[in-house]
Amino acid sequence: MSIVDEIKCSHCGAPIAFKPGEILATCKYCGFTVVIETGETFTFEHSLLLNAYDLDQIEGPIRTWMQEGFLKPSDLARKSKIVEKDLVYLPFWVVSVEAKSTYKGVFERLTPAVVRDGKIEKEYSWLVLARKATEFPTKEYNVPLEGKIPYDFRKIEGFAKVLNSEVDRDGAVEIAKQQIDAHHRFLVQQDVDKIIEFNTELDTKQVVYLHAPIWFVKYEYKGKTYQLLIDGAMGTAIKGDIPMSGF
Ligand SMILES: [Zn+2]
């Protein structure tokens, strides 16, 4: 059961529907974003990536993906039936940071083992999905940030769905920090086998709230259903289930 509640848009007065757990809600009539808990205006940058495909045109990138690569059955594009294609604007936080990890560890591949220390310094535009229960492969999504514009509700197609954020700005920075820390711990395995000390610090430059167009596609092939995600801005596949090639 999904309970839907409403607040009044502080800009145009229209009702804005939201669900439990959502933190930011965007008015579909005027594009205004409010902080649900306080009813206040969301004052940080809110961006949008434009979708380039309508319901018919999206079949092009879907069929292209089906024809690409040698891992797929050769008749995939011909024999598949597209049973669902939903355009969803997913909410993300793009956390631009300078991240610095310092570490100390033991390099055991030499005898005797040696203690090493070092640091990893990198800049990122780290992408955090602002939904808790949505399955989305953030790491595989090469978000085309150069195309972002200020959020404009008039650019949202009538058939599309816009999801609200369930993660606030500070929460997003914290998630980015944990994920970057984990990523750096992975990188440091090249240098040390056992970590003794590890510390990551972020210098946050900018945090942008972003809605990005993602096509959730389902297709049927030989009686089974598979999922495919397509970036609506670029038309590239983000992730797709591939049927096993039959013999
Ligand atoms: Zn409004």
Side-chain angles (χ1 to χ4, degrees), residues 9 12 27 30:
C9 174
C12 76
C27 175
C30 76

Side-chain angles (χ1 to χ4, degrees), residues 179-198:
Q179 292 178 345
I180 291 170
D181 183 86
H183 175 58
H184 284 186
R185 281 173 190 266
F186 171 77
L187 293 179
V188 91
Q189 287 171 9
Q190 291 181 343
D191 199 36
V192 294
D193 298 300
K194 196 189 286 170
I195 294 170
I196 303 169
E197 283 172 32
F198 200 94

Side-chain angles (χ1 to χ4, degrees), residues 166-218:
E166 295 173 334
V167 177
D168 68 10
R169 189 179 187 275
D170 291 346
V173 173
E174 190 50 42
I175 291 169
K177 187 177 177 186
Q178 286 167 13
Q179 292 178 345
I180 291 170
D181 183 86
H183 175 58
H184 284 186
R185 281 173 190 266
F186 171 77
L187 293 179
V188 91
Q189 287 171 9
Q190 291 181 343
D191 199 36
V192 294
D193 298 300
K194 196 189 286 170
I195 294 170
I196 303 169
E197 283 172 32
F198 200 94
N199 183 49
T200 299
E201 274 173 32
L202 295 194
D203 184 2
T204 308
K205 301 291 179 196
Q206 197 191 24
V207 184
V208 174
Y209 185 44
L210 173 78
H211 273 98
I214 309 293
W215 286 86
F216 286 74
V217 176
K218 279 194 178 138

Side-chain angles (χ1 to χ4, degrees), residues 41-112:
T41 308
F42 176 73
T43 50
F44 298 105
E45 190 178 334
H46 184 190
S47 294
L48 176 69
L49 286 174
L50 296 176
N51 166 59
Y53 301 86
D54 67 21
L55 283 160
D56 291 326
Q57 292 162 340
I58 195 61
E59 304 235 348
I62 297 170
R63 298 287 169 190
T64 301
W65 174 80
M66 287 174 171
Q67 284 158 358
E68 279 169 357
F70 59 92
L71 288 172
K72 297 184 190 109
S74 55
D75 61 357
L76 187 63
R78 260 183 302 124
K79 297 269 177 71
S80 292
K81 193 178 152 208
I82 299 163
V83 290
E84 255 181 61
K85 37 185 179 178
D86 295 324
L87 175 60
V88 181
Y89 286 83
L90 282 183
F92 293 94
W93 292 94
V94 183
V95 183
S96 300
V97 291
E98 277 175 29
K100 184 173 161 186
S101 298
T102 51
Y103 63 89
K104 191 186 223 180
V106 188
F107 187 72
E108 293 172 330
R109 277 161 274 180
L110 286 177
T111 328

